[in-house]
């Protein structure tokens, strides 16, 4: 039985159960509002779920409780100011948000960051990926009921955040990327400390593997739950680890490395054939390990040189349009920047990964049980700032 | 599938974390429980973690360097810097010279209730009048008190650390912090 | 002690028993909260836990109680007021009733009832009613789901719990808990009686089933579907605040303590330590402490598991109970019975 058939059958079962219950004893389904304030939606996502017993008949995500209007705000900010705002989109891996925007602006201005800047940019990009996904690894365990892993996640994410802070000055909002390079060079001793942090993250991954991934209860809760077939996932615009867990071998870091130096190092894109919640967890766990390897290799070979290209003090971006997308921790993030030759962008369209990732929930949540809603939402891994912007 | 069930492995992970937290020391003094050393957390008001030198804690103002040029106030993404100044005649540097015209700072306020700690003002300052200090303990019971005036901002100058050396391979020029 | 009690009048004995019962429940619950919920779990998660209130945070629980007492006792507008308000007391009553049959020493007991095990199992399930009342009376969807889950789960796990005990009862030839302790103290394993016969050695399957079922009975992870913070917020406790939440909270830990005490009596030899004469008057003082030590050990297991594992889904939980635990418990009874008759 293929995954789609199973999905369909469970949906039919849900419908049939609904009809039967309504015929025999006059009952009606229950509407359960999961969110906007609910521990599982970590933020203010609201899921309106129509239930029959504990089975979901239909579910609909309601977004916009945290809409901050960054696309509009960016139109009245200069290019350097915009990076301050977009730090706050995916607040767990915020450096990664700056990169595609800066790359788009650089493409319009036709400047290129010097190699050292590109190298450090890639290192920080991967560090923010680790900081982000580390928390997911703990958070996923909380969603299925284990409390301890998330404390491990907070404990070990700290090592990465310390490195990000030591280099950029900001733990969560680095604002370190500049058009044409970086704000500052690395402080002395940073490379050695980062290597140590990477070692700790690998230990953390081993711990999570034993504590969560290998746990039979965790596997029973996640295997076969929330199966996304590759074609459905692609048609809903899923990206990142969510689509790689469905067996689609698609990673922008490898496929179109624009401005970042992922092609200079030796690494692997992990995929999983199952497409269920466990696969999504597994792929992210492997990705964290892979990211530590990328960072280690990059640290070995940082080229020397300047970190800023020659750019004017007052940045005026020539008229034109550019769309740049990168493989962010949550998936593909892209910025479409339209410039009319002013100090402000004329229009910025932000394609954030989580928005597309949660759009599959109405399809995915049909026919599952209430506890599985939480598992599926947890495994899709969205960040509210990334949905609502 | 390994021989040891995952459930047991999980128990071993958490159990060994308990042991490592309570008995962090190795060797002879293993049996002395010292959880405050083994824990990853610190008891904040009693023990403080030192932020890195570059940490963006609070902005310090070197008043003597400021020329009230308003660049920082204009570049601030949420416009939380308020500057007023006037021009003054200063005595000439050399005897017999013309009196110089200097910009005198009347007011330099940063509203930390609005500030996003992005660091753009420190970056754009062409006269090296603004510096980051890693101090972070300046919360106030009243929101109005978060508006730091130029005296308060100058006080932070004492806490500004020297700039760090750069990692090898860097060609960036190391900046200096002016003496207060 | 018998002679001492015999000289006292009825009301004096009763008041001593009430005080002893309160101490046994509240002090044990308080110790468990501090030792396990505050400290053991904190160390497990590489942190220190409460450190400010009292030395090493030992008075934190009092501070928490003070905080809860100050909070407003909110009753939701559409709640069934009486049912909503009474529910925590029903849950707590079940805990106190469980205590009645527990022996703490050769003469230190509340009631020596020949149907002790039976009574314990019966009143232990009274808490289900309280939980269902809380879930139904709250007029909240999350509470309702939590209450229904709790009921389904507790009924499912009563059975393995009861069946696991039957093996012990067969071996001890009595349902009196005091008798079970003495049977373990004086028994021998296939002719070897150096440490008596703690039934954990001969009834290891029963012990395993009892601990798993107890975990479910206490609604601790991996069986905490009814409270499931991440999906049902806190299930049947969602709408409670202030004193009534505190009662649920104390009830949870007190029940964990009392159930562990029952497990200790049934499987670990209760107040008895090997090598001493069980009729010794010393055990009237030492016995409760020994029992308490065993309780701490067992609750450590309970909370270790609780904070390590994820939780089951409702259907997986039922499957485990009916397809695995109940057949295993029945097989255990058969084997025990056969061996009992054969030897």
């Amino acid at each position: 039985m293929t995954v789609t058939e199973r999905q369909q059958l469970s949906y039919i079962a849900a419908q049939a159960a609904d009809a039967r219950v309504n015929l025999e004893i006059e009952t009606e389904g229950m509407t359960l509002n999961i969110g906007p304030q609910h521990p599982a939606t970590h933020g203010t996502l609201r899921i309106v779920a129509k239930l029959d017993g504990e089975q979901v008949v239909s579910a609909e995500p309601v977004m916009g409780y945290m809409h901050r209007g960054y696309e509009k705000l960016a139109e009245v900010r200069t290019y350097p100011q915009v990076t301050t705002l977009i730090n706050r989109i995916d607040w767990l891996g915020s450096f990664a948000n700056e990169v595609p925007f800066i790359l788009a602006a650089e493409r319009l201005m036709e400047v290129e960051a010097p190699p050292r800047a590109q190298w450090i940019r890639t290192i920080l990009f991967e560090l923010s990926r680790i900081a982000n996904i580390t928390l997911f690894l703990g958070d996923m365990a909380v969603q299925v009921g284990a409390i301890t892993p998330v404390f491990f996640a907070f404990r070990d994410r700290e090592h990465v955040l310390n490195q990000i802070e030591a280099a950029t000055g900001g733990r969560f909002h680095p604002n370190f990327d500049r058009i044409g390079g970086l704000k500052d060079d690395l402080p002395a001793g940073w490379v050695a400390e980062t290597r140590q942090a990477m070692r700790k993250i690998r230990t953390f991954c081993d711990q999570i593997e034993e504590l969560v991934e290998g746990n039979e209860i965790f596997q029973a809760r996640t295997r076969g739950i929330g199966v996304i077939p590759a074609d459905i996932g692609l048609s809903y615009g899923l990206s990142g680890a969510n689509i790689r867990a469905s067996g689609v071998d698609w990673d922008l870091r490898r496929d179109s490395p624009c401005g970042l130096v992922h092609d200079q190092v030796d690494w692997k894109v992990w995929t999983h054939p199952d497409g269920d919640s466990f696969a999504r967890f597994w792929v992210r766990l492997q990705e964290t390990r892979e990211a530590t390897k990328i960072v280690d290799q990059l640290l070995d070979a940082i080229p020397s040189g300047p970190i800023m290209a020659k750019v004017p003090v007052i940045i005026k971006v020539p008229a034109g349009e550019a769309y740049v997308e990168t493989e962010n921790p949550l998936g593909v993030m892209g910025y479409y920047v339209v410039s009319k030759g002013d100090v402000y962008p004329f229009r910025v369209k932000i394609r954030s990964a989580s928005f597309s990732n949660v759009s599959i929930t109405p399809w995915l949540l049909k026919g599952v049980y209430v506890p599985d809603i939480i598992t599926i939402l947890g495994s899709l891994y969205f960040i509210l700032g990334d949905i609502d912007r | 599938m390994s021989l040891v069930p995952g459930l047991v492995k999980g128990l071993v992970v958490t159990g060994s974390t308990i042991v490592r937290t309570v008995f962090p020391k190795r060797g002879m003094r293993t049996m002395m429980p010292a959880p405050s050393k083994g824990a990853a957390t610190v008891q904040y008001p009693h023990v403080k973690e030192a932020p890195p030198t570059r940490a963006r804690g609070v902005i310090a103002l070197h008043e003597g360097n400021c020329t009230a040029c308003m660049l920082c106030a204009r570049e601030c993404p949420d416009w939380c810097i308020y500057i007023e100044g006037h021009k003054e005649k200063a005595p000439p540097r050399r005897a017999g010279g013309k009196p110089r015209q200097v910009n005198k700072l009347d007011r330099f306020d940063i509203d930390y209730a609005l500030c996003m700690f992005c660091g753009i003002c420190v970056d754009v300052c062409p006269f090296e009048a603004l510096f980051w200090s890693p101090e972070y303990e300046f919360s106030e019971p009243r929101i109005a008190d978060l508006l730091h005036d130029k005296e308060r901002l100058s006080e932070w100058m004492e806490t500004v650390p020297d700039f760090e050396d750069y990692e090898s391979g860097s060609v960036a020029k190391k900046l200096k912090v002016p003496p207060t | 002690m018998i002679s001492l009690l015999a000289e006292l009048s009825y009301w004096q004995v009763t008041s001593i028993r009430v005080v002893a019962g309160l101490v046994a429940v509240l002090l044990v619950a308080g110790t468990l909260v501090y030792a396990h919920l505050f400290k053991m779990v904190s160390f497990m998660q590489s942190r220190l836990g409460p450190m400010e209130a009292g030395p090493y945070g030992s008075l934190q629980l009092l501070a928490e109680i003070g905080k809860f007492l100050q909070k407003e006792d909110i009753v939701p507008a559409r709640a069934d007021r009486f049912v909503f308000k009474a529910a925590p007391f029903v849950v707590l009553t079940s805990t106190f009733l469980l205590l009645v049959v527990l022996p703490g020493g050769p003469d230190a007991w509340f009631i020596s009832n020949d149907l002790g095990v039976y009574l314990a199992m019966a009143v232990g399930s009274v808490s289900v009613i309280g939980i269902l009342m809380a879930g139904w009376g709250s007029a909240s969807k999350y509470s309702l789901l939590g209450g229904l889950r709790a009921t389904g789960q507790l009924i499912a796990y009563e059975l393995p719990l009861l069946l696991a005990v039957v093996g012990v009862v067969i071996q001890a030839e009595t349902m009196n808990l005091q008798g079970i302790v003495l049977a373990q103290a004086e028994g021998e394993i296939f002719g070897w009686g150096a440490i008596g016969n703690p039934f954990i050695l001969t009834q290891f399957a029963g012990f395993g089933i009892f601990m798993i079922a107890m975990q479910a009975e206490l609604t601790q992870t991996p069986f905490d579907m009814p409270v499931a913070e991440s999906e049902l917020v806190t299930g049947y406790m969602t709408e409670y605040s202030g004193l009534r939440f505190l009662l649920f909270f104390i009830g949870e830990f007190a029940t964990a303590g009392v159930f562990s005490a029952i497990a200790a009596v049934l499987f670990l030899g209760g107040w008895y330590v090997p090598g001493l004469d069980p009729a010794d008057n010393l055990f009237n003082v030492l016995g409760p402490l020994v029992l308490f030590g065993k309780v701490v050990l067992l609750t450590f297991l309970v909370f270790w598991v609780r904070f390590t594992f994820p939780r089951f889904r409702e259907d997986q939980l039922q499957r485990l109970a009916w397809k695995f635990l109940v057949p295993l418990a029945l097989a255990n009874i058969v084997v025990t019975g056969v061996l009992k008759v054969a030897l």
Side-chain angles (χ1 to χ4, degrees):
Chain A
M1 193 161 70
T2 62
V3 283
T4 16
E5 277 172 17
R6 200 183 330 172
Q7 277 282 345
Q8 279 171 350
L9 281 179
S10 61
Y11 174 60
I12 293 166
Q15 295 285 330
D18 198 29
R20 196 173 58 242
V21 166
N22 284 338
L23 273 180
E24 286 166 3
I25 36 171
E26 291 216 345
T27 61
E28 53 187 48
M30 183 162 90
T31 308
L32 189 68
N33 269 314
I34 299 179
Q37 280 160 9
H38 185 276
T41 58
H42 37 110
T44 47
L45 179 71
R46 175 172 160 221
I47 305 249
V48 183
K50 291 213 164 56
L51 302 182
D52 173 30
E54 285 226 11
Q55 207 166 28
V56 178
V57 177
S58 74
E60 194 190 339
V62 182
M63 301 162 193
Y65 287 95
M66 226 187 75
H67 184 67
R68 293 157 294 175
Y70 280 159
E71 292 181 6
K72 198 73 193 164
L73 283 173
E75 290 171 17
V76 288
R77 298 286 191 289
T78 63
Y79 282 86
Q81 288 175 355
V82 171
T83 53
T84 314
L85 294 178
I86 59 183
N87 267 170
R88 273 109 176 136
I89 290 180
D90 160 16
W91 48 65
L92 291 180
S94 38
F95 183 81
N97 296 326
E98 303 172 11
V99 174
F101 177 78
I102 292 291
L103 289 176
E106 280 180 357
R107 185 178 289 177
L108 282 175
M109 288 182 70
E110 291 170 355
V111 290
E112 193 178 338
R116 188 176 172 86
Q118 289 186 9
W119 229 267
I120 297 171
R121 220 179 244 180
T122 316
I123 292 173
L124 287 171
F125 189 79
E126 289 303 318
L127 281 184
S128 64
R129 174 189 312 279
I130 295 169
N132 188 329
I133 299 183
T134 317
L135 202 57
F136 161 79
L137 296 175
D139 179 68
M140 179 70 195
V142 166
Q143 304 298 336
V144 295
I147 298 166
T148 305
V150 82
F151 286 91
F152 288 3
F154 276 117
R155 181 190 70 194
D156 289 328
R157 184 182 69 142
E158 202 64 21
H159 305 304
V160 178
L161 286 183
N162 282 343
Q163 288 318 107
I164 293 178
E165 191 184 17
T168 66
R171 295 168 73 73
F172 281 92
H173 307 305
N175 193 25
F176 197 58
D177 227 351
R178 297 286 185 270
I179 293 173
L182 292 170
K183 177 188 157 199
D184 209 346
D185 212 319
L186 297 176
W190 192 82
V191 170
E193 281 168 28
T194 310
R195 271 213 193 88
Q196 222 160 29
M198 289 304 105
R199 216 169 299 136
K200 281 175 183 153
I201 291 295
R202 276 194 288 271
T203 323
F204 164 76
C205 287
D206 294 343
Q207 276 191 336
I208 286 288
E209 201 161 48
E210 287 181 358
L211 186 58
V212 185
E213 194 209 315
N215 192 307
E216 281 83 0
I217 303 175
F218 180 78
Q219 297 197 1
R221 282 295 307 277
T222 51
R223 278 198 194 269
I225 302 298
V227 179
I228 304 175
D231 51 335
I232 303 257
L234 283 173
S235 65
Y236 272 100
L238 257 62
S239 54
N242 289 333
I243 198 70
R244 281 196 288 278
S246 302
V248 180
D249 193 5
W250 178 46
D251 193 321
L252 286 177
R253 288 178 288 172
R254 181 197 58 198
D255 299 340
S256 63
C258 54
L260 297 173
V261 290
H262 286 106
D263 49 344
Q264 307 279 326
V265 289
D266 175 35
W267 61 287
K268 182 174 181 259
V269 176
W270 290 89
T271 57
H272 197 287
D274 288 358
D276 54 8
S277 301
F278 180 79
R280 290 192 277 277
F281 181 86
W282 186 88
V283 165
R284 289 208 173 90
L285 182 60
Q286 304 308 326
E287 268 184 15
T288 315
R289 281 228 181 88
E290 209 60 43
T292 62
K293 281 181 205 157
I294 295 177
V295 171
D296 269 352
Q297 292 178 43
L298 287 170
L299 286 173
D300 287 334
I302 304 177
S304 60
I307 44 141
M308 259 319 244
K310 284 222 166 349
V311 281
V313 176
I314 293 170
I315 290 167
K316 276 196 177 165
V317 174
E321 308 170 359
Y323 179 69
V324 173
E325 52 184 13
T326 53
E327 186 73 27
N328 273 35
L330 297 165
V332 169
M333 181 173 210
Y335 287 84
Y336 184 65
V337 181
V338 182
S339 176
K340 295 240 160 151
D342 208 347
V343 290
Y344 309 111
F346 178 74
R347 173 85 170 91
V348 177
K349 165 80 183 87
I350 306 169
R351 188 256 188 236
S352 63
S354 295
F355 185 78
S356 305
N357 287 350
V358 292
S359 70
I360 199 173
T361 46
W363 184 85
L364 200 53
L365 292 181
K366 252 172 208 163
V368 303
Y369 293 105
V370 171
D372 295 338
I373 300 180
I374 313 301
T375 316
I376 292 168
L377 288 182
S379 72
L380 279 176
Y381 193 36
F382 49 85
I383 290 190
L384 250 292
D386 208 34
I387 296 175
D388 283 344
R389 304 193 293 283
Chain B
M1 257 336 216
S2 68
L3 283 174
V4 187
L7 296 175
V8 178
K9 273 189 190 168
L11 285 177
V12 170
V13 169
T14 46
S16 61
T17 313
I18 297 180
V19 175
R20 236 176 299 138
T21 310
V22 181
F23 306 109
K25 296 199 186 90
R26 299 287 153 108
M28 287 296 286
R29 290 160 70 197
T30 321
M31 290 320 287
M32 292 282 283
S36 52
K37 283 207 181 63
T41 52
V42 295
Q43 293 302 103
Y44 164 60
H46 313 299
V47 188
K48 285 172 189 167
E49 281 190 328
T53 333
R54 277 190 190 180
R56 298 202 294 259
V58 64
I59 297 167
L61 170 72
H62 191 267
E63 209 189 322
N65 279 359
C66 182
T67 59
C69 70
M70 304 288 283
L71 257 181
C72 50
R74 270 189 308 174
E75 287 296 320
C76 179
D78 41 11
W79 305 291
C80 67
I81 305 180
Y82 309 99
I83 301 177
E84 281 164 23
H86 65 273
K87 289 193 163 62
E88 242 179 36
K89 294 277 186 221
R93 278 216 185 85
R94 268 169 288 140
K98 267 201 289 183
R100 291 178 303 141
Q101 195 175 45
V102 291
N103 291 319
K104 205 75 179 144
L105 198 60
D106 293 331
R107 177 186 180 211
F108 191 102
D109 293 351
I110 296 182
D111 189 350
Y112 281 111
L114 276 178
C115 179
M116 295 208 291
F117 297 87
C118 64
I120 289 179
C121 50
V122 181
D123 268 9
V124 298
C125 181
F127 303 104
E128 291 180 16
L130 291 174
F131 294 91
W132 277 112
S133 155
E135 283 298 310
Y136 52 92
E137 289 168 312
F138 56 96
S139 57
E140 301 280 356
R142 286 176 60 237
I143 198 165
D145 293 339
L146 279 171
L147 186 91
H148 289 197
D149 56 11
K150 68 177 198 255
E151 280 74 34
R152 186 93 197 270
L153 291 169
S154 304
E155 280 167 25
W156 291 120
M157 210 48 214
E158 289 167 21
T159 62
V160 175
D162 284 336
F163 280 92
E164 292 167 293
D165 289 329
Y166 287 116
E167 191 66 271
S168 61
S170 163
V171 294
K173 211 171 70 193
K174 196 182 147 189
L175 297 174
K176 285 226 163 51
V177 178
T180 41
Chain C
M1 196 153 174
I2 287 266
S3 52
L4 181 72
L5 283 184
E7 287 162 17
L8 297 174
S9 63
Y10 177 77
W11 68 267
Q12 282 169 318
V13 175
T14 308
S15 50
I16 286 177
R17 280 178 176 162
V18 166
V19 169
L22 279 174
V23 165
V25 168
L26 297 181
L27 203 65
V28 169
T31 320
L32 294 182
V33 168
Y34 174 69
H36 292 140
L37 185 69
F38 288 166
K39 286 298 164 185
M40 183 267 265
V41 172
S42 302
F43 294 151
M44 185 187 280
Q45 295 161 351
S46 296
R47 56 194 177 90
L48 286 172
M51 289 291 278
E52 295 297 316
Y56 291 94
S58 48
L59 301 177
Q60 182 67 29
L61 189 62
L62 292 181
E64 301 279 339
I65 289 173
K67 180 192 79 179
F68 278 121
L69 289 180
Q70 286 170 36
K71 287 191 173 180
E72 188 188 351
D73 185 21
I74 300 168
V75 181
R78 293 176 63 190
D80 188 330
R81 289 186 75 87
F82 173 74
V83 173
F84 181 85
K85 287 189 163 179
F89 294 98
V90 175
V91 173
L92 207 60
T93 308
S94 135
T95 309
F96 278 99
L97 285 177
L98 270 175
L99 192 73
V100 164
V101 289
L102 272 182
D107 305 309
W109 32 255
F110 295 97
I111 299 169
S112 175
N113 192 321
D114 278 341
L115 288 174
V117 174
Y118 188 70
L119 180 73
M121 294 300 124
V123 295
S125 45
V126 169
S127 65
V128 183
I129 300 171
I131 288 171
L132 190 60
M133 280 164 74
W136 184 254
S138 293
S140 155
K141 287 168 183 170
Y142 288 114
S143 299
L144 180 62
L145 278 176
L148 290 179
R149 281 179 180 187
T151 317
Q153 168 178 335
L154 296 187
I155 289 171
Y157 279 85
E158 271 314 306
L159 198 56
L161 196 72
L162 206 67
L163 293 178
V165 174
V166 172
V168 172
V169 173
I170 292 173
Q171 243 191 334
E173 298 172 8
T174 173
M175 284 176 91
N176 189 333
L177 283 164
Q178 186 74 287
I180 290 176
V181 173
L182 290 175
Q184 294 180 68
E186 288 152 5
E188 47 191 28
I189 309 165
F190 301 117
W192 179 66
I195 55 164
N197 180 12
F199 287 148
I200 185 173
L201 297 177
T202 48
Q203 287 288 329
F204 50 88
F207 178 69
I209 297 165
F210 191 90
M211 289 304 283
I212 293 173
M214 190 174 100
Q215 195 88 359
E217 188 82 11
L218 299 170
T219 64
Q220 308 278 23
T221 331
F223 307 100
D224 70 335
M225 292 312 299
V227 284
E229 308 94 89
S230 62
E231 46 207 63
L232 293 185
V233 196
T234 40
Y236 57 88
M237 293 191 280
T238 307
E239 301 294 338
Y240 282 89
S241 67
L243 176 68
R244 280 167 223 283
F245 181 81
L246 182 70
L247 290 179
F248 270 126
F249 182 80
I250 290 177
E252 184 186 339
F253 284 88
T255 319
V258 174
F259 260 100
S260 299
I262 292 176
V265 166
L266 289 177
F267 294 99
L268 297 181
W271 45 262
Y272 177 68
V273 276
L276 294 169
D277 179 19
D280 199 332
N281 205 17
L282 175 70
F283 271 119
N284 283 326
V285 183
L286 194 64
L289 295 176
V290 171
L291 186 63
F292 179 65
K294 288 174 179 173
V295 166
V296 169
L297 198 72
L298 284 177
T299 43
F300 176 78
L301 275 180
V302 168
F303 287 100
W304 189 8
V305 167
R306 166 180 173 168
F307 287 104
T308 303
F309 290 160
R311 74 173 71 87
F312 279 110
R313 213 171 51 212
E314 192 68 16
D315 54 331
Q316 293 165 342
L317 178 144
Q318 299 284 356
R319 210 171 296 138
L320 180 75
W322 295 106
K323 287 192 173 168
F324 176 70
L325 290 181
V326 171
L328 190 66
L330 288 172
N332 183 45
I333 293 172
V334 171
V335 171
T336 313
V338 167
L339 283 178
K340 184 80 189 170
V341 174
L343 293 175

